[in-house]
């Protein structure tokens, strides 16, 4: 549910944090609910837009994929720029919150219109429509996501407390994402007499967009307002610090890449994000056409998937107390990739239940819970290690 280059936003100019010890629970929760907004918007867009444009609107997969790719290229540029910009921003509302406040309205509008294109548009027109709105939406989300992520790194100077912050952040974000997916499959894509397979119901996508944009936007506003109390305690820029410029940006970017630990995290996170992005994009297709599941069955993945952030929340801090974060990250990443690919590889080898077998769904859910649970620990470890590097 995070952009691959958003980790550039972690503030390398600050050496202090808002709290030296434990952070008040209310502030942790106020910060962490922001992850739910990102997850709600992310699931509504990432999980269903490719299927909607290809299977419902008839846009060729090449054009639909190209639209998302173009948006990601813009995203790769805007993420570090916004991070560096917010690092050097001066205002009464601090460095992060002014950016976070500008994001909700454009994000909400773009998500709505992505699933409500003009009926007169043909394939190429729909491609342009999707491309433009996706670029605007992801850029607007960057204004929220990157400062929000950097804010989390600035809340505490304590090694373990940062893990707790990212654990709660991941927990609430995961619950928001899986809750959104479950609600979508159970409610919006529920079978009707006209559409036994609710994934083929065009109106369901419009209703999902209205709901997700409204709820996600409201949560973005709420978390921004509830974390404003910490602004006076956040690290302040030295008066001698120059304001943002592209010359300074490229200088800072070069300096960041010279940090070996940061560079390795960046490359690893980039490759992981690319892998997970492809998986998330084709997941609906896989469940619908490869495993031949209906929305009434797919919804159980999201129900049991909600265990993933709980697994990450429960096990990440104890693992980081017992072991270094690097071996935890590497080991869990290897396990995650093995478990994720196992069902398809076992099916190709003839060692997996057939699509009409009663044991197919429980087996798939078992692999899914194991993969996303370990993946949750990977995400928490990566974000926590990033804050340590910064």
């Amino acid at each position: 549910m995070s952009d691959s280059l958003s980790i550039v936003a972690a503030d390398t100019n600050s050496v202090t944090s808002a709290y030296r010890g434990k952070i008040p629970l209310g502030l942790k929760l106020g910060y962490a609910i922001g992850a739910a907004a990102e997850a709600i918007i992310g699931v509504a867009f990432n999980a269903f837009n490719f299927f909607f444009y290809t299977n419902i609107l008839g846009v060729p997969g090449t054009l639909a994929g190209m639209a998302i790719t173009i948006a990601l290229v813009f995203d790769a540029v805007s993420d570090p720029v916004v991070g560096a910009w917010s690092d050097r921003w001066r205002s009464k509302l601090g460095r992060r919150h002014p950016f976070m406040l500008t994001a909700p309205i454009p994000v909400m509008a773009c998500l709505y219109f992505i699933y409500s294109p003009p009926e007169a548009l043909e394939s190429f027109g729909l491609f342009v429509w999707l491309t433009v709105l996706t670029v605007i939406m992801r850029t607007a989300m960057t204004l929220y996501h990157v400062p929000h992520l950097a804010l989390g790194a600035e809340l505490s100077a304590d090694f373990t407390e940062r893990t707790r912050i990212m654990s709660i952040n991941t927990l609430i974000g995961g619950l928001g994402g899986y809750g959104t997916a479950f609600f979508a499959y159970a409610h919006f894509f529920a079978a009707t007499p006209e559409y036994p397979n609710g994934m083929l119901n065009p109106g369901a996508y419009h209703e999902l967009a209205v709901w997700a944009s409204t709820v996600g936007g409201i949560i973005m506003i709420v978390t921004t307002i509830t974390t404003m109390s910490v602004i006076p305690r956040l690290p302040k820029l030295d008066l001698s610090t120059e304001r943002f410029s592209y010359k300074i940006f490229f200088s800072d970017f070069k300096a960041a890449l010279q940090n070996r630990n940061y560079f390795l995290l960046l490359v690893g996170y980039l490759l992981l994000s690319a892998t997970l992005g492809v998986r998330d994009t084709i997941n609906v297709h896989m469940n619908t056409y490869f495993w031949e599941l209906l929305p009434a069955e797919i919804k159980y993945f999201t129900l049991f998937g909600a265990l993933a952030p709980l697994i990450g929340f429960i096990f990440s801090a104890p693992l980081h107390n017992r072991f270094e974060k690097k071996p935890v990250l590497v080991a869990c990443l290897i396990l995650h990739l093995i478990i994720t690919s196992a069902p398809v590889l076992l099916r190709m080898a003839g060692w997996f239940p057939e699509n009409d077998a009663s044991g197919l769904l429980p087996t798939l859910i078992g692999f899914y819970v194991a993969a996303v649970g370990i993946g949750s620990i990977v995400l928490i470890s990566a974000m926590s290690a990033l804050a340590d590097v910064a």
Side-chain angles (χ1 to χ4, degrees):
M1 301 185 176
S2 297
D3 300 317
S4 60
L5 289 180
S6 64
I7 54 178
V8 176
D11 182 15
T12 57
N13 297 318
S14 301
V15 294
T16 59
S17 299
Y19 290 86
R20 287 290 175 182
K22 287 191 175 183
I23 299 175
L25 179 60
L27 178 59
K28 285 182 184 176
L29 294 176
Y31 168 77
I33 59 172
E38 297 177 47
I40 291 169
I41 300 293
V43 168
F45 176 77
N46 295 327
F48 303 110
N49 83 86
F50 189 75
F51 192 91
F52 175 70
Y53 273 83
T54 56
N55 286 56
I56 304 299
L57 300 182
V59 177
T62 303
L63 287 180
M66 187 180 299
I68 307 303
T69 301
I70 292 172
L72 290 174
V73 171
F74 277 87
D75 216 23
V77 175
S78 66
D79 277 15
V81 169
V82 169
W85 195 11
S86 71
D87 278 351
R88 296 174 178 272
W89 187 263
R90 290 185 176 92
S91 77
K92 293 181 180 180
L93 294 179
R95 295 182 292 167
R96 312 304 182 187
H97 290 78
F99 293 88
M100 294 167 66
L101 284 170
T102 62
I105 298 301
V107 169
M108 295 165 69
C110 288
L111 182 61
Y112 171 82
F113 284 113
I114 283 172
Y115 286 112
S116 302
E119 295 182 2
L121 293 180
E122 301 294 336
S123 290
F124 187 77
L126 289 169
F127 158 72
V128 174
W129 179 268
L130 176 62
T131 302
V132 172
L133 286 175
T134 302
V135 168
I136 296 174
M137 188 189 78
R138 293 189 69 92
T139 302
M141 181 56 80
T142 294
L143 294 174
Y144 172 82
H145 167 71
V146 175
H148 180 261
L149 181 61
L151 177 63
E154 294 175 337
L155 290 179
S156 177
D158 184 79
F159 182 84
T160 303
E161 188 70 0
R162 282 194 296 268
T163 295
R164 295 191 183 101
I165 294 169
M166 292 306 170
S167 295
I168 298 177
N169 188 68
T170 302
L171 171 64
I172 295 181
L175 292 176
Y178 288 114
T180 298
F182 179 82
F183 188 56
Y185 286 117
H187 177 69
F188 298 115
F189 299 120
T192 65
E194 187 177 2
Y195 296 100
N197 185 339
M199 297 302 303
L200 303 179
N201 181 2
Y205 295 88
H206 172 78
E207 295 175 3
L208 170 63
V210 172
W211 178 84
S213 60
T214 301
V215 176
I218 291 174
I219 293 176
M220 291 168 69
I221 295 171
V222 169
T223 193
T224 303
I225 293 175
T226 56
T227 54
M228 283 183 174
S229 62
V230 79
I231 291 175
R233 302 184 62 135
L234 291 174
K236 301 294 190 301
L237 285 180
D238 189 279
L239 294 178
S240 63
T241 302
E242 295 184 57
R243 293 185 180 274
F244 173 82
S245 70
Y246 284 100
K247 179 181 179 180
I248 293 175
F249 164 72
F250 285 114
S251 176
D252 287 347
F253 194 80
K254 180 181 178 181
L257 294 181
Q258 290 175 343
N259 183 311
R260 182 175 180 275
N261 291 326
Y262 172 79
F263 180 76
L264 292 176
L265 272 173
L266 176 65
V267 173
Y269 199 75
L270 173 64
L271 296 175
L272 177 62
S273 296
T275 302
L276 297 181
V278 172
R279 186 193 69 183
D280 291 343
T281 299
I282 65 172
N283 197 41
V284 176
H285 286 77
M286 285 290 294
N287 286 331
T288 302
Y289 299 116
F290 186 82
W291 301 115
E292 297 179 331
L293 300 173
L294 294 173
E297 297 171 307
I298 298 174
K299 69 181 182 182
Y300 289 108
F301 286 95
T302 61
L303 183 63
F304 285 95
L307 295 172
L310 289 173
I311 293 173
F313 177 75
I314 293 171
F315 290 103
S316 292
L319 283 173
H320 292 173
N321 280 331
R322 185 182 178 102
F323 306 102
E324 291 289 334
K325 293 179 183 179
K326 180 180 177 179
V328 172
L329 180 59
V330 172
C332 289
L333 181 58
I334 293 173
L335 284 174
H336 175 75
L337 295 177
I338 292 174
I339 296 171
T340 299
S341 59
V344 174
L345 295 177
L346 290 173
R347 164 59 65 83
M348 293 172 66
W351 299 336
F352 207 77
E354 295 298 324
N355 286 0
D356 57 355
S358 60
L360 174 67
L361 184 60
T363 305
L364 285 173
I365 290 175
F367 275 96
Y368 179 73
V369 171
V372 294
I374 295 173
S376 180
I377 300 176
V378 169
L379 179 60
I380 293 171
S381 300
M383 293 299 97
S384 183
L386 173 67
D388 296 337
V389 171

